[in-house]
Amino acid sequence: MEGIKGTLAVLTGGGDCPGLNAVIRAVVKTALHNGYQIYGISNGFHGLIQGDMRLLSLHDVSGILPRGGTVLGTTNRDNPFRYASGEDEKGNVIYKDMRGAVVQNLKDRGVECLVIIGGDGSLKIGYDLNRFCGVNVVGVPKTIDNDLPCTERTFGFDTAVAAATDALDRLHTTAESHHRVMVLEVMGRYAGWIALHSGLAGGADVILIPEIPYNIDSVIAKIRERQQQGKKFSIITVAEGAKPIGGKVTVARIVKESFEQIRLGGIGNKLADQIEQLTGIESRCTVLGYLQRGGSPTAYDRVLSTRYGVEAAEACIQKDYNIMVALSANRIIRVPIEKVADHAHQVPLDSDLIKAGRELGICFGD
């Protein structure tokens, strides 16, 4: 098209997350402002494989800044390198390598660079598309779990922590009124960032995270200590990936076709049952679940998402490919995507947050 300087494309992969639309809006507006056209790819890598994409305009991103979810749609399945395309006569899933279709779909539309907004699974696919297929990519770090390396913060995390903190505030009144132990199970996969931040913000007495395997005796001792102080209730925040010393994580189910096959969940109810059996104190569990991932993003996440989206589009325009935008010392930087793909960032044991919690008398189960 006359006057068009180049062509980009954008997709959202993996689970939904507050702030996705803010990133899409920033990427599209920056691209159009600089004379580029940009394709929006529907439903993550599924749309990339099927060629389900369309040119986006300013009208398409108008009013989406405060909206949760993603206007493009997403999926945490459909890996182009291992695409489920049906079943054989025995009911076994047939997988196909669809990288050729991906390359052709991008080539047909003249796409110079693909912006991938996603977590470790999506960014790993992006990295593989570059090194095996020559596709230029730019990544944007998305996950409520805050477990991606090379960045101080992923967008969506602040909103998830706000939701978990609000839940703890609400649980306090019931716990105190009924003299109960209330357990809140939060997301986070194998990292305890949500549990740690929300537990500190919400005044939890016990915080259990994957990085510190817990001893149930330590948890019981903390509850007994509070009883001796005349406090007849206790609040516990537990990450879904927490596990007892010498034990295993609690698995809710297995999804074979997903980026993330092992789905964690159930540790909160197990913990509440165990506490009630050992202490005789009425104990209840609330699993916050998808409430952490939905709804309107916080102001912080809207600003961070916007900054990420602008930087991602500028990287494409400057032909600085195969990087991920990141936050460092409150500045948006660019890091090689290979340093991020398929790596996890857990809470360091020497974290000042853990130290602060210990000084406040919070039990971490060890």
Side-chain angles (χ1 to χ4, degrees), residues 323-340:
I323 56 93
M324 183 192 79
V325 296
L327 181 69
S328 176
N330 202 33
R331 293 178 57 250
I332 304 300
I333 63 171
R334 303 171 187 178
V335 296
I337 199 167
E338 63 265 25
K339 290 186 176 182
V340 182

Side-chain angles (χ1 to χ4, degrees), residues 35 42 72 76 83 100 134 191 221 234 251-252 313 335 356 361:
S42 299
L72 293 177
N76 51 15
Y83 180 66
S234 294
V251 178
V335 296

